[in-house]
């Protein structure tokens, strides 16, 4: 019990730290509403602590199937740290922020080709926004999108070469898919494959659709607000990492469906041998 509590507390603390990370890395003049940030961090940390401390799962998928959730957290943290350093360069330039600034602008310019998500993100910015802000948004989008692609490639590597999730021992579908009800909706494998494909398609399309949606709803959310460093960090990180998380979730479900199908074939083969 003590080990479970310690592990849950560490995870909750790390998630809370992730929420306050932009405020810690940005200078005081670039941060706003610290009380809201602290409250959100405490709430997120408490939810993760409760989820990992409980013996029975509630909402978090693949809780006992590392390194899926760990990789999500790592790449989201990496994205937020780098964009925070990028945004803070205009306030308190250092050697590290200058390096990230130059690298991010190079990546943003490279990925700003026709019909790319980075180009759509740049084009959604209003014409009255200063050119540096537009370039900063493009650099942040390029950096975040590259990290999201790396996170997807990493999980594909884990599945292919590390035999996820069997490399970690037995895989419990009920614990790792608490929101999935195997008793309703037809065949389990078919449902898992359908849900997985929907998640992958949505994850691929969202980086293209979100800039267009923001542009269409400019009266509700002004893209010029991305000039605020905190808002830039959260919006760009969410724009890149949420779709990547959906894609990895779909890949994981496809893998689980494939394992269940393999078990069925092996069981049918044993039944045929016993009949013979």
């Amino acid at each position: 019990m003590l080990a479970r509590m310690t592990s849950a507390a560490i995870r909750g603390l790390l998630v809370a730290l992730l929420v306050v990370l932009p405020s810690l890395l940005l200078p005081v003049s670039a941060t706003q509403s610290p009380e809201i940030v602290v409250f959100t961090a405490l709430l997120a940390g408490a939810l993760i602590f409760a989820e990992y401390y409980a013996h029975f799962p509630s909402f978090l998928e693949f809780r006992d199937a590392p390194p899926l959730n760990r990789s999500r957290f790592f790449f989201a943290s990496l994205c937020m740290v780098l964009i925070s350093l990028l945004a803070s360069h205009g306030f308190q330039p250092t050697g590290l922020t200058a390096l990230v600034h130059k690298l991010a602008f190079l990546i943003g310019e490279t990925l700003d080709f026709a019909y790319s998500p980075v180009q759509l993100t740049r084009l959604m910015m209003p014409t009255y926004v200063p050119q540096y802000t537009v370039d900063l948004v493009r650099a942040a989008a390029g950096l975040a999108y590259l990290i999201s692609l790396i996170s997807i490639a990493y999980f594909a590597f884990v599945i292919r070469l590390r035999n996820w999730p069997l490399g970690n021992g037995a895989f419990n579908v009920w614990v790792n898919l608490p929101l999935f009800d195997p008793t309703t909706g037809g065949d389990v494998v078919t449902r898992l494959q359908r849900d997985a494909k929907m998640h992958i398609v949505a994850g691929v399309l969202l980086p293209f659709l979100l800039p267009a949606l923001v542009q269409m709803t400019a009266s509700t959310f002004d893209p010029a607000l991305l000039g605020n460093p905190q808002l830039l960090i959260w919006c760009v990180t969410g724009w890149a990492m949420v779709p990547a998380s959906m894609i990895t979730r779909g890949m994981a479900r496809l893998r689980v469906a494939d394992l269940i199908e393999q078990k069925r074939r092996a069981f049918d083969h044993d039944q045929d041998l016993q009949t013979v």
Side-chain angles (χ1 to χ4, degrees):
M1 181 178 292
L2 181 61
R4 176 183 288 272
M5 181 182 295
T6 304
S7 176
I10 292 174
R11 285 179 167 90
L13 181 62
L14 289 174
V15 170
L17 181 62
L18 177 62
V19 175
V20 301
L21 194 59
S23 299
L24 295 177
L25 293 177
L26 290 172
V28 177
S29 58
T31 58
Q32 297 178 355
S33 306
E35 61 281 353
I36 297 178
V37 174
V38 172
F39 174 76
T40 305
L42 292 175
L43 180 61
L47 287 174
I48 295 301
F49 172 80
E51 175 67 16
Y52 275 94
Y53 180 66
H55 289 279
F56 304 103
S58 56
F59 68 92
L60 189 63
E61 292 190 335
F62 302 104
R63 191 181 73 173
D64 295 332
L68 176 54
N69 290 334
R70 296 174 188 176
S71 66
R72 287 175 176 174
F73 177 83
F74 171 78
F75 285 109
S77 301
L78 178 63
C79 186
M80 294 188 72
V81 168
L82 292 180
I83 298 179
S84 297
L85 293 173
L86 171 66
S88 64
H89 181 71
F91 298 90
Q92 291 181 350
T94 63
L96 180 59
T97 62
L99 176 63
V100 174
H101 186 273
K102 184 175 181 179
L103 180 64
F105 270 69
L106 177 62
I107 295 172
E109 185 177 356
T110 303
L111 296 180
D112 185 10
F113 52 85
Y115 305 108
S116 72
V118 176
Q119 185 191 60
L120 296 176
T121 304
R122 175 178 60 83
L123 294 177
M124 79 176 183
M125 299 300 293
T127 55
Y128 59 83
V129 175
Q131 185 60 40
Y132 177 76
T133 301
V134 176
D135 293 340
L136 185 65
V137 171
R138 181 182 69 174
L143 188 60
Y145 195 64
L146 178 62
I147 293 173
S148 72
L149 295 178
I150 294 174
S151 71
I152 296 169
Y154 170 75
F155 187 60
F157 165 82
V158 170
I159 292 177
R160 179 65 61 180
L161 298 182
R162 293 182 55 185
N163 196 27
W164 182 91
L166 299 182
N168 302 312
F171 181 82
N172 190 316
V173 176
W174 178 67
V175 170
N176 290 290
L177 293 172
L179 302 179
F180 181 77
D181 186 359
T183 62
T184 60
D187 183 67
V188 172
V189 173
T190 303
R191 288 177 55 208
L192 282 172
Q193 291 174 341
R194 182 187 65 234
D195 292 349
K197 291 173 183 177
M198 290 175 59
H199 278 88
I200 292 174
V201 171
V204 171
L205 293 180
L206 272 179
F208 297 89
L209 296 179
L210 286 177
L213 183 62
V214 170
Q215 201 167 21
M216 288 188 296
T217 60
S219 57
T220 304
F221 177 81
D222 187 1
L225 293 174
L226 292 177
N228 179 285
Q230 275 187 306
L231 197 59
L232 173 68
I233 294 167
W234 281 105
C235 288
V236 173
T237 301
W239 166 79
M241 299 311 299
V242 170
S245 179
M246 294 178 68
I247 292 174
T248 55
R249 186 176 182 228
M251 294 165 61
R253 289 197 168 212
L254 280 178
R255 174 62 172 162
V256 172
D258 183 57
L259 291 175
I260 294 174
E261 200 162 10
Q262 289 179 22
K263 285 286 187 181
R264 285 180 177 178
R265 286 197 297 265
F267 178 78
D268 292 340
H269 179 69
D270 291 342
Q271 290 291 100
D272 292 340
L273 289 178
Q274 290 179 7
T275 304
V276 173

